[in-house]
Amino acid sequence: MAVLQTLVTLLYYALVAFVSVMLVWNLTRTRDWKQEVLYVIVLIPFLLRLFRLK
Amino acid sequence: MRKLLISALGLVLFATSGVSFYQSRRLEEPVVLSDGVTDVKRLGDYFEGVRGTVNDANLYFLDSGVPGATMLVLGGTHPEEPAGRLAAWLLAENAVMEAGRLIVVLSGNRSATTVTRVGGAYPPDFTIETDWGERTFRLGDRWSNPLDQWPDPEVYIHHPSGQYLAYVDIRNLNRTWPGRPTGTLTERTTYAFMELVRREGVGVFIDLHEAELQYPVISTIVAHDRGQELATYVSMMLSDMEFNIGMEYSPVNLHGLSHREVGDHSDAVSLLFEAPEPFLDATRGRTTREQLLTGQDEFVMKAGEAGLLFERIDERGWPIAVRVGRHTSTVLQTMEAWTELNPDRPMRVRGVPRYAEVIERGVGHWLRDPASAPVSRLRVE
């Protein structure tokens, strides 16, 4: 159980990192300022979790 | 340029919120040891599985040197029930044992003190005014921090009973007794506490809690089978002399709770005390520090008028001093009753305020100034 939990947690963090990178990538690509704001706002909770702050 | 500006604003938001979360997770809570504290151990001394983890709690030992029984008082099982932690704090900073031993824990689930309820708009901390300044405490939550234990299963199967419990309760310290050495952090924590209880020969185990007024188990002592006589005696004495408090039997088939499992898996008499906390009620108004400490809430009062509560409430609310005082008096009364029932294994203590004294002088009066204490008598939770 504990081993499985650790594995799932690692996968979860990998997923969070992947989504964060994709959000940053999309942020660099878009030309619509509303979407830029949206990407930045959505990115914050992902970064907070990635850095184990909340 | 626009992109950079928006990103910079995002970075500022991330940094400010990140610093706030970082600081509240690591807020240091000082403890000024009472003259009666003879030793401070760690939970990891009793089970390697929690050593060095966030839940490697401080254990404050108060040994009178006079033979008698040992009582363990556990605060912080559910940190968002602060009267439990604060009552334990008053013991650690004021109690001096005259017979028997007392072991005090301030952060039963330390991981749960480092997080607040997601979506609950809980304040991260609260401050108690004292005679010399103020003390700030982490508010915490009912469950271990997901940063320390994650993910939760679809269904939590309690060990060793096999009973199905709510999935989130695998992070609830009061649903994981008697614990499991190879389990999750929360299960390992309760296992470590069971090892402490067994190896130190604890005679009376007390778990301090608070409850919402819409919950039927409130203002009461929940007692294991072997603690029923003791709890009844305590309930009668307190209800006659200080405040109304009931007594309830620990359900035999409800597993994972300390009042059931500690008694079943050790020689200790296990008791759980509940005080009223309107802050936890679903019908509460704004979830503020003031509401937490005053226990005043017009919406909970409305629920009372509609007959939805199991405890009375009026405009005076349930101030923190009343809730803490209930706990200190119930602990003291339990010691007295135990000594009457077991004169060959006495427990006697001095220095701890009772209900009326806590209300009269406030909780802060009984918290000592860390700045004027020698470093050797200071600890951090």
Side-chain angles (χ1 to χ4, degrees):
Chain A
M1 171 71 183
V3 175
L4 196 64
Q5 207 175 29
T6 307
L7 277 174
V8 174
T9 302
L10 289 173
L11 281 173
Y12 171 76
Y13 278 97
L15 201 61
V16 170
F18 175 75
V19 173
S20 301
V21 169
M22 285 298 105
L23 285 167
V24 173
W25 172 254
N26 284 340
L27 174 64
T28 60
R29 305 282 291 177
T30 184
R31 291 175 186 280
D32 181 351
W33 73 271
K34 289 178 197 161
Q35 285 201 354
E36 287 170 4
V37 171
L38 187 65
Y39 283 130
V40 166
I41 291 172
V42 171
L43 185 61
I44 290 172
F46 281 88
L47 290 180
L48 287 171
R49 179 48 71 96
L50 196 60
F51 289 100
R52 295 180 55 77
L53 291 167
K54 182 78 171 179
Chain B
M1 185 61 193
R2 185 190 65 212
K3 224 182 271 285
L4 276 176
L5 192 66
I6 291 173
S7 300
L9 283 174
L11 205 62
V12 169
L13 272 177
F14 166 71
T16 49
S17 54
V19 166
S20 167
F21 294 142
Y22 182 90
Q23 286 176 340
S24 76
R25 183 164 158 80
R26 285 164 182 77
L27 176 71
E28 292 193 341
E29 303 167 316
V31 185
V32 182
L33 302 182
S34 150
D35 295 339
V37 174
T38 49
D39 197 6
V40 181
K41 295 184 181 176
R42 302 299 291 264
L43 191 58
D45 297 339
Y46 293 87
F47 174 54
E48 277 293 326
V50 296
R51 190 187 294 279
T53 69
V54 66
N55 274 4
D56 194 359
N58 287 333
L59 312 170
Y60 301 93
F61 280 72
L62 296 88
D63 191 344
S64 66
V66 177
T70 298
M71 173 184 279
L72 170 60
V73 176
L74 184 65
T77 291
H78 295 152
E80 96 287 24
E81 298 163 13
R85 278 191 98 202
L86 289 171
W89 230 284
L90 264 54
L91 293 172
E93 297 205 358
N94 297 280
V96 177
M97 293 299 287
E98 294 180 329
R101 281 196 313 168
L102 174 65
I103 305 170
V104 183
V105 181
L106 307 182
S107 307
N109 187 354
R110 194 178 171 285
S111 170
T113 70
T114 66
V115 66
T116 53
R117 193 162 303 183
V118 179
Y122 277 25
D125 51 41
F126 62 94
T127 298
I128 300 288
E129 300 292 331
T130 71
D131 298 349
W132 43 264
E134 53 187 33
R135 278 257 193 107
T136 301
F137 300 85
R138 298 186 296 272
L139 175 57
D141 195 8
R142 185 178 178 84
W143 298 281
S144 302
N145 193 331
L147 289 178
D148 301 318
Q149 181 184 318
W150 196 87
D152 298 332
E154 290 291 316
V155 175
Y156 162 39
I157 303 172
H158 172 260
H159 174 84
S161 71
Q163 188 168 60
Y164 283 26
L165 299 174
Y167 76 98
V168 73
D169 279 336
I170 199 165
R171 285 186 283 119
N172 181 344
L173 198 80
N174 203 29
R175 294 297 182 278
T176 55
W177 298 94
R180 173 160 46 176
T182 56
T184 63
L185 175 68
T186 315
E187 288 177 308
R188 296 200 308 274
T189 304
T190 43
Y191 180 81
F193 278 121
M194 286 306 308
E195 284 295 287
L196 165 68
V197 167
R198 288 186 283 250
R199 283 161 58 177
E200 293 295 343
V202 170
V204 182
F205 175 95
I206 294 174
D207 192 2
L208 300 178
H209 285 257
E210 293 192 90
E212 57 267 51
L213 279 60
Q214 285 173 302
Y215 186 59
V217 183
I218 190 167
S219 302
T220 193
I221 304 170
V222 187
H224 186 265
D225 315 18
R226 280 183 281 108
Q228 287 169 5
E229 185 185 12
L230 176 66
T232 305
Y233 189 21
V234 171
S235 163
M236 284 171 55
M237 295 302 286
L238 287 176
S239 298
D240 183 46
M241 296 189 298
E242 294 185 68
F243 49 83
N244 280 326
I245 186 165
M247 179 268 170
E248 298 184 26
Y249 301 125
S250 168
V252 176
N253 292 322
L254 182 55
H255 290 284
L257 293 103
S258 63
H259 50 71
R260 167 55 40 204
E261 307 293 354
V262 175
D264 279 358
H265 293 87
S266 75
D267 295 329
V269 165
S270 52
L271 307 172
L272 185 149
F273 301 168
E274 292 278 12
E277 186 189 359
F279 181 87
L280 297 176
D281 273 281
T283 53
R284 70 183 181 272
R286 289 186 66 197
T287 311
T288 62
R289 291 177 174 90
E290 186 190 3
Q291 206 269 19
L292 176 75
L293 297 177
T294 63
Q296 295 168 344
D297 194 295
E298 59 178 309
F299 296 96
V300 179
M301 276 176 61
K302 277 280 181 199
E305 289 164 15
L308 298 172
L309 305 181
F310 292 90
E311 177 57 278
R312 63 167 181 81
I313 184 170
D314 55 27
E315 61 283 346
R316 290 170 299 176
W318 281 96
I320 191 72
V322 172
R323 289 139 56 192
V324 172
R326 288 180 69 98
H327 277 333
T328 57
S329 261
T330 312
V331 169
L332 295 173
Q333 196 65 47
T334 303
M335 276 197 193
E336 289 170 26
W338 168 273
T339 303
E340 275 192 48
L341 296 170
N342 305 273
D344 55 324
R345 297 173 64 203
M347 282 187 283
R348 279 191 298 276
V349 65
R350 63 178 162 82
V352 182
R354 293 192 80 102
Y355 178 67
E357 294 171 286
V358 179
I359 293 172
E360 184 191 342
R361 297 186 164 185
V363 174
H365 176 76
W366 309 96
L367 294 172
R368 299 163 68 188
D369 184 4
S372 59
V375 176
S376 62
R377 303 300 290 173
L378 275 178
R379 292 293 184 280
V380 173
E381 285 291 316

